Amino acid sequence: MLHIAARLPTSTCRLLTSRTSVLVVEVRGRKSRTDPKAKSKAGRVKVPPPVDPVEMVVLKERFAQYDMIMRALRFKFKEEVLQHKYEQEVGSQAEERAKQEADRHRVLMAWNDAENLRLLKLREIRVLKEREEAEKEEAALAVLREKKMESFVKEKEQEILQLEEESKTFITMENLDQRIEEALDNPKNYNFAIDKGGRVVKQTMLQ
C-alpha cells in the first residue's frame, strides 16, 4: 500500500489517506531492489580511481600516527577516569595505601643506600688489594730486571777479562820480530786431509 502511494501525486495521497494516518511524500529517483539495470548503464564497467603510491604511503603513515595518538589519548583518559573512580570509591584507603607505599619506598631507598655503601667499601678494599698486588709484581719484576742486568754486566766483564788475556798473545809492533822468529823456528803444516770424523788421514811433509 505504501509502495503504491509513493508513486501517486501528493494531492491524491492526501485524498486517499485519512486525517489520522501519516502523509507519504512522493520520492523520485529511487529504485527497488527488483528493478532491472538501466539501459544507459548496461555496458558500464566501474573502474576505481587511480591511486598515487607516494600519496598512499604518506596517508598510511599519517593514519598510523593518528591511530597511535588516538589510542594513547583513549588509554590516558581511561586511566584518569579509572583513577578518579578508584579514588572516589576507596577514599581514605587510597591515601593510606599511598602513605604505605611512600614509607615502603623510603625504606627501600635507605636499604639501597646502605647496600651501595657496603659494596663501595668492598670495592675499595678490592681495589686496594689489586693495587698492592700490582706494586708487588712491579717490585718483583724490578728485582728480576736488576738481577738480569747484574748477570749481563758480569758476563760482559768476563768477556772483557778474556779479551784482555787473549790480547797478550796479539801481534803488535813491539813483538812483531819475535813472533816472526818463532813462526820460522816452529813451522806448521796445514796441508792435510781429514775424514768424516775429523781425524787427519793424510798429511804432506814440509820441504
Side-chain angles (χ1 to χ4, degrees):
M1 180 66 181
L2 293 176
H3 181 67
I4 297 172
R7 294 177 181 272
L8 295 176
T10 307
S11 59
T12 309
C13 293
R14 291 179 179 176
L15 292 174
L16 293 176
T17 56
S18 61
R19 293 183 179 181
T20 57
S21 62
V22 180
L23 294 177
V24 180
V25 182
E26 180 182 4
V27 180
R28 300 189 179 208
R30 300 276 184 178
K31 292 173 58 175
S32 65
R33 293 181 180 275
T34 58
D35 291 340
K37 193 173 184 179
K39 293 181 180 181
S40 61
K41 297 181 181 180
R44 181 185 176 187
V45 179
K46 291 185 178 181
V47 179
V51 179
D52 187 4
V54 179
E55 183 180 2
M56 179 60 65
V57 172
V58 175
L59 289 176
K60 283 185 177 181
E61 292 180 356
R62 291 182 179 178
F63 282 141
Q65 294 177 359
Y66 172 78
D67 186 35
M68 181 177 62
I69 293 171
M70 292 304 296
R71 281 191 284 109
L73 289 175
R74 283 195 295 268
F75 179 78
K76 181 64 177 177
F77 293 154
K78 184 178 179 181
E79 185 179 4
E80 290 180 356
V81 170
L82 292 176
Q83 182 69 22
H84 183 66
K85 183 178 179 181
Y86 175 77
E87 291 178 357
Q88 287 182 349
E89 291 178 354
V90 178
S92 60
Q93 295 181 2
E95 296 178 359
E96 185 66 24
R97 187 177 294 106
K99 184 179 179 181
Q100 292 177 0
E101 289 180 356
D103 294 339
R104 183 170 178 271
H105 178 71
R106 186 165 53 255
V107 172
L108 290 176
M109 289 301 296
W111 176 83
N112 189 23
D113 295 337
E115 189 69 14
N116 288 337
L117 183 60
R118 185 180 67 84
L119 294 177
L120 177 61
K121 291 181 179 178
L122 292 177
R123 185 163 56 251
E124 290 177 352
I125 294 172
R126 187 182 70 250
V127 171
L128 183 60
K129 288 182 179 180
E130 291 178 354
R131 188 178 301 170
E132 291 177 355
E133 290 178 358
E135 291 177 356
K136 289 181 181 178
E137 290 180 359
E138 185 66 25
L141 290 175
V143 172
L144 183 61
R145 286 194 295 269
E146 187 177 357
K147 289 182 178 179
K148 287 184 178 179
M149 182 59 67
E150 289 178 357
S151 63
F152 177 76
V153 170
K154 288 181 180 180
E155 182 179 355
K156 293 303 178 182
E157 288 177 354
Q158 291 294 331
E159 291 180 358
I160 292 172
L161 293 176
Q162 184 178 358
L163 287 175
E164 288 179 353
E165 290 293 331
E166 292 177 355
S167 65
K168 294 178 181 179
T169 60
F170 290 169
I171 299 175
T172 60
M173 295 300 296
E174 289 78 9
N175 60 2
L176 180 61
D177 295 335
Q178 181 183 357
R179 298 300 296 273
I180 291 174
E181 292 177 358
E182 290 178 356
L184 292 175
D185 294 337
N186 301 310
K188 293 184 179 181
N189 185 11
Y190 296 98
N191 190 9
F192 55 85
I194 60 175
D195 58 3
K196 293 182 178 180
R199 295 183 297 273
V200 177
V201 297
K202 186 178 180 182
Q203 186 173 11
T204 59
M205 298 300 293
L206 290 176
Q207 295 178 358

